Amino acid sequence: MADRSRVVVLAGAAGSGRSTFVAVALHALRHRLGEEQGLTLLPRDDRTATEARLRYERPFYEDEHPPPVAPGAGVALVHRLSRSTGRRRPAVSLVLLDTSGPRFADPEPDESELRKLDVADAVLLLLDPRDLTGAVSPAAGRAPTGDSLRVAERVLDRLRTGRGRSAAGGRARVPVAVAVPKLDLVTPWLPPHSPLHRERRPGTGFDADDRSAVHTELRALLALWQGEEIDGWLRERCADHQLFAFSALGAAPRGATVPPGGPRPHRAEDPLLWLLHRFGLLDGAGPGR
Ligand SMILES: Nc1nc2c(ncn2[C@@H]2O[C@H](COP(=O)(O)OP(=O)(O)OP(=O)(O)O)[C@@H](O)[C@H]2O)c(=O)[nH]1
Ligand SMILES: [Mg+2]
């Protein structure tokens, strides 16, 4: 029997951190996280094997100093993800679509980019913290552009109204992980006891208590950073969404280079674990299910 295919579209404004997330997520699944969760990730075809190595593994984990290459036209990576230990689960053919550049935020958005959302089984939507008022020190970033919010609106609208979509009470049914990347830029301004400071507890499966603590914290933070706007939109437009925050690199890069020693991700696995749980590859219980 053919594996079930699960397409995850990475959406976000230009430079929001999609490709860095893909590099770190693939590395984690191939190494420690895969082992911890009893998951095996294998490229489905030669093109994926080559792209994964040349565009993601090598620039981020081997050539520490040269800047990572930003894919120009977007990249689709297809891997087989199977459970090697614990309760047997059907394998999944995991398709990661690393969409490209500024097209989602263009005044006239590129239809071919938006069309990718019509085939999404799940979406990871990044909200660059530099676009959230008060989330980062102005010295650490640049003035908010509004691009992240524009992209978020477009993506959510497409998920509700795109081809073949049926909305539940006007809300998209597709699971949407909404994440604030580059958490290292935000950390100095977080409350001291924020659950975002701590690491995820290692362990098999999906930790619903931790998920619920992080989601609640981020709802409160988003309300501070952008009025009630974002949380309100999400509830109106998405039947199944969860809020995340992570740093893929673990520290601000100097210019466009990866920090010395390579990425040291903080909570970057969280959205991945939630999606894999949604895809039936990981066990879990509790309110974040
Ligand atoms: N501080 C910090 N910067 C990051 C992090 N992840 C990515 N960046 C930086 O953000 C910039 C954009 O990262 P990319 O991963 O190329 O973002 P993208 O969304 O793929 O960008 P395009 O495809 O070029 O639109 C780069 O300069 C990265 O070094 C992070 O965890 N922390
Ligand atoms: Mg990119």
Side-chain angles (χ1 to χ4, degrees):
M1 197 175 67
D3 297 335
R4 290 169 304 152
S5 160
R6 290 290 177 267
V7 179
V8 179
V9 176
L10 281 284
S16 53
R18 288 162 292 178
S19 300
T20 310
F21 172 82
V22 169
V24 165
L26 290 177
H27 188 84
L29 279 174
R30 253 191 253 110
H31 299 94
R32 194 189 36 73
L33 182 67
E35 205 168 297
E36 177 191 295
Q37 302 295 338
L39 294 170
T40 304
L41 183 82
L42 286 174
R44 270 236 105 105
D45 49 51
D46 291 347
R47 196 194 46 78
T48 292
T50 308
E51 296 265 40
R53 169 134 192 80
L54 295 185
R55 287 190 195 259
Y56 299 96
E57 182 72 18
R58 196 185 277 173
F60 287 91
Y61 285 89
E62 292 169 27
D63 311 335
E64 280 161 20
H65 297 293
V69 182
V75 177
L77 298 164
V78 190
H79 288 88
R80 179 170 203 266
L81 191 58
S82 57
R83 190 87 186 268
S84 35
T85 56
R87 229 170 102 198
R88 274 274 196 258
R89 297 296 181 96
V92 160
S93 189
L94 181 68
V95 184
L96 289 177
L97 287 185
D98 181 8
T99 59
S100 66
R103 296 188 196 165
F104 272 123
D106 279 354
E108 285 300 318
D110 184 329
E111 178 62 22
S112 67
E113 283 300 293
L114 288 172
R115 219 176 285 135
K116 291 178 183 161
L117 292 163
D118 298 344
V119 297
D121 295 298
V123 172
L124 173 58
L125 172 64
L126 299 187
L127 299 176
D128 194 320
R130 298 171 305 168
D131 282 339
L132 302 172
T133 313
V136 303
S137 144
R142 40 110 175 109
T145 62
D147 278 0
S148 289
L149 303 184
R150 216 170 1 257
V151 170
E153 271 205 284
R154 279 190 181 149
V155 167
L156 297 178
D157 279 345
R158 186 72 181 206
L159 291 176
R160 293 191 306 163
T161 58
R163 232 188 118 160
R165 294 291 181 205
S166 64
R171 300 188 297 167
R173 296 169 193 267
V174 186
V176 183
V178 180
V180 177
K182 311 182 189 184
L183 185 60
D184 52 281
L185 298 177
V186 180
T187 315
W189 288 271
L190 288 178
H193 300 295
S194 170
L196 294 174
H197 288 298
R198 58 176 195 243
E199 295 286 339
R200 180 182 66 84
R201 276 175 304 198
T204 47
F206 163 77
D207 184 342
D209 291 338
D210 182 61
R211 178 81 299 271
S212 155
V214 169
H215 180 78
T216 306
E217 170 80 347
L218 280 161
R219 281 188 61 196
L221 288 170
L222 284 178
L224 275 180
W225 293 335
Q226 208 74 38
E228 300 293 332
E229 210 177 335
I230 298 175
D231 193 46
W233 279 357
L234 289 170
R235 274 126 128 347
E236 252 169 51
R237 294 165 200 223
C238 270
D240 185 17
H241 72 273
Q242 284 282 303
L243 301 172
F244 299 85
F246 64 81
S247 173
L249 295 176
R254 259 179 279 127
T257 60
V258 175
R264 285 190 305 279
H266 176 74
R267 285 197 173 275
E269 298 162 358
D270 292 11
L272 197 60
L273 289 170
W274 180 64
L275 291 176
L276 297 183
H277 173 57
R278 276 284 181 279
F279 295 161
L281 272 167
L282 294 179
D283 300 317
R289 269 188 311 157

